[in-house]
């Protein structure tokens, strides 16, 4: 009998089968990709980066999941229609235009089925000297999607964001993302949530393994909220830019950071007023679930790798955090 992970993999690949045309380009300008499972703190990291004047970090673009914008419209409309707003919000910010004008431009691109490398090239041209940051959590569900990032960008930088598996599982179940992502799979919510965490990190680890060390960085959510200046300084050094203090104020300048109501938003983000170190271990108040052997294997691998770098992730509540 197939394992749940095998079923999830097959489900993802089946959805991609209608849009699996090879997409490659040679976009010389660097871009930054945040790779992580859903509900791992990527919105906070994205908004922190959006406060840096040398970065452009919009909400979810969800570009790599499709070969062209027409397919993106068709694919996202089925399950994740709200994510269509991320590209519109990015165009608004880059073109300094209103929502209707940005939406009209995106609709035109969709009608012409503009290829994804062309969309990235246009966004990068509008970014000027700023680096584009793409934070789209669905990328991690498929090795094929991740590979498109390497195929399109010769100078891409990858930030692998991790979070304690118990915290991620609780959040996925709370937000009912198990049903949104794998509603047709016959399994419990916690089982599917664990599968999402495991599958995502397994794919990311496999994808990043051959990537040069200078082009990939591991960041732990727990460190990001407990020592934000240190972690953001490390990220800035990785990207070759100076630390900017505005990054520590993710709840300021809502329009500039694109946390207003126009683009796709994390509904939990605005429940906070600032960076809250207590979120690092808030999951402990709700207990934990026993992880499968596959999940423990991935968690142990993350733990060992991050211990070598001076940071750690604990896969089980009995392991120390921090």
């Amino acid at each position: 009998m197939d394992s749940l992970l095998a079923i999830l993999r097959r489900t993802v690949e089946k959805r991609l089968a209608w849009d699996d045309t090879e997409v490659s380009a040679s976009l010389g300008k660097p871009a930054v990709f945040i790779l992580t499972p859903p509900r791992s703190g990527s919105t906070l990291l994205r908004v922190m980066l959006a406060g840096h004047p040398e970065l452009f970090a919009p909400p979810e673009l969800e570009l790599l999941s499709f070969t062209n914008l027409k397919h993106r419209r068709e694919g996202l409309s089925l399950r994740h229609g709200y994510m269509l707003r991320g590209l519109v919000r990015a165009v608004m910010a880059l073109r300094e235009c209103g929502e209707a004008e940005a939406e009209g431009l995106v609709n035109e691109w969709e009608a012409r089925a503009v290829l994804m490398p062309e969309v990235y090239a246009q966004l990068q041209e509008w970014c000027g000297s700023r680096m584009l940051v793409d934070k789209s959590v669905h990328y991690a569900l498929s090795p094929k999607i991740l590979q498109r990032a390497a195929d399109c960008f010769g100078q891409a930088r990858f930030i692998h964001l991790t979070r304690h598996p118990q915290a991620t599982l609780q959040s996925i179940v709370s937000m009912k993302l198990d049903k949104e992502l794998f509603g047709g799979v016959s399994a419990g919510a916690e089982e599917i949530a664990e599968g999402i965490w495991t599958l995502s990190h397994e794919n990311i680890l496999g994808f990043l393994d051959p990537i040069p060390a200078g082009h990939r960085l591991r960041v732990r959510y727990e460190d990001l909220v407990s020592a934000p200046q240190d972690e953001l300084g490390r990220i800035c050094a990785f990207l070759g830019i100076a630390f900017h203090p505005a990054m520590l104020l993710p709840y300021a300048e809502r329009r500039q950071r694109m946390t207003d109501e126009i683009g796709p938003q994390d509904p939990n983000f605005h429940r906070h007023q600032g960076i809250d170190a207590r979120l690092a271990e808030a999951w402990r108040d709700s207990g934990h679930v026993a992880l499968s052997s596959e999940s423990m294997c991935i968690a142990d691998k993350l733990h060992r790798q991050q211990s070598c770098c001076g940071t750690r992730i604990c896969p089980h509540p009995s392991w120390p955090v921090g």
Side-chain angles (χ1 to χ4, degrees):
M1 185 175 180
D2 286 344
S3 69
L4 178 58
L5 273 184
I7 294 171
L8 296 185
R9 288 192 196 97
R10 191 162 57 245
T11 301
V12 172
E13 297 312 314
K14 183 178 179 180
R15 292 175 183 172
L16 291 174
W18 65 280
D19 193 31
D20 61 359
T21 306
E22 297 255 345
V23 175
S24 62
S26 182
L27 299 174
K29 193 172 181 180
V32 183
F33 291 90
I34 298 174
L35 305 180
T36 187
R39 312 307 305 165
S40 298
S42 60
T43 294
L44 177 62
L45 176 56
R46 193 276 296 175
V47 179
M48 286 174 158
L49 297 182
H52 199 292
E54 296 182 51
L55 300 174
F56 178 73
E60 281 83 353
L61 293 173
E62 286 297 335
L63 293 176
L64 290 177
S65 303
F66 307 93
T67 58
N68 64 62
L69 279 191
K70 182 179 180 181
H71 286 170
R72 177 179 176 272
R73 162 68 65 175
E74 294 167 350
L76 289 181
S77 294
L78 295 176
R79 289 184 176 84
H80 317 290
Y82 64 95
M83 285 195 172
L84 290 167
R85 308 298 302 164
L87 180 57
V88 172
R89 190 65 188 82
V91 171
M92 286 178 62
L94 290 171
R95 302 300 293 162
E96 298 182 349
C97 66
E99 183 176 359
E101 182 179 340
E103 197 163 47
L105 179 56
V106 172
N107 288 342
E108 178 192 338
W109 288 348
E110 291 170 348
R112 292 195 288 115
V114 175
L115 295 175
M116 288 313 171
E118 296 178 47
V119 180
Y120 276 118
Q122 182 61 84
L123 295 178
Q124 288 189 309
E125 179 183 331
W126 288 339
C127 280
S129 61
R130 291 179 291 177
M131 277 190 287
L132 174 66
V133 179
D134 187 345
K135 189 279 284 192
S136 302
V137 294
H138 291 166
Y139 293 171
L141 292 173
S142 168
K144 292 181 181 178
I145 294 175
L146 292 171
Q147 188 57 44
R148 285 177 178 170
D151 292 341
C152 288
F153 295 90
Q155 298 298 318
R157 298 293 187 271
F158 300 99
I159 298 174
H160 181 187
L161 178 64
T162 69
R163 188 179 187 181
H164 194 290
Q166 301 289 350
T168 301
L169 269 56
Q170 290 176 12
S171 189
I172 289 175
V173 172
S174 173
M175 299 300 296
K176 296 182 170 58
L177 289 187
D178 57 296
K179 293 182 175 62
E180 179 181 322
L181 293 172
F182 295 101
V185 175
S186 179
E190 290 180 342
E191 290 179 283
I192 294 177
E194 180 184 344
I196 292 170
W197 183 89
T198 304
L199 179 63
S200 297
H201 282 304
E202 182 179 79
N203 289 339
I204 295 168
L205 287 170
F207 167 70
L208 290 180
D209 186 56
I211 299 294
H215 287 221
R216 51 186 164 88
L217 179 72
R218 182 81 52 78
V219 174
R220 198 175 74 117
Y221 171 80
E222 289 79 5
D223 295 330
L224 191 65
V225 295
S226 60
Q229 185 163 340
D230 290 344
E231 282 303 287
L232 290 171
R234 198 165 65 93
I235 293 171
C236 287
F238 167 67
L239 298 177
I241 57 179
F243 170 76
H244 196 285
M247 301 172 77
L248 294 170
L249 303 171
Y251 293 87
E253 305 166 326
R254 290 185 59 176
R255 183 173 179 81
Q256 177 186 329
R257 297 177 192 242
M258 293 163 279
T259 57
D260 49 23
E261 66 282 356
I262 298 173
Q265 301 298 337
D266 177 350
N268 288 337
F269 180 75
H270 289 295
R271 293 181 181 178
H272 307 282
Q273 300 300 316
I275 302 170
D276 189 350
R278 294 173 298 178
L279 294 177
E281 298 191 47
W283 60 270
R284 292 182 182 276
D285 296 334
S286 301
H288 68 280
V289 297
L291 298 180
S292 67
S293 59
E294 295 99 331
S295 298
M296 286 297 294
C297 180
I298 294 296
D300 189 54
K301 183 178 292 187
L302 291 171
H303 173 76
R304 291 197 312 271
Q305 289 183 0
Q306 293 188 191
S307 293
C308 294
C309 300
T311 58
R312 295 183 297 174
I313 182 172
C314 75
H316 189 278
S318 65
W319 292 26
V321 177

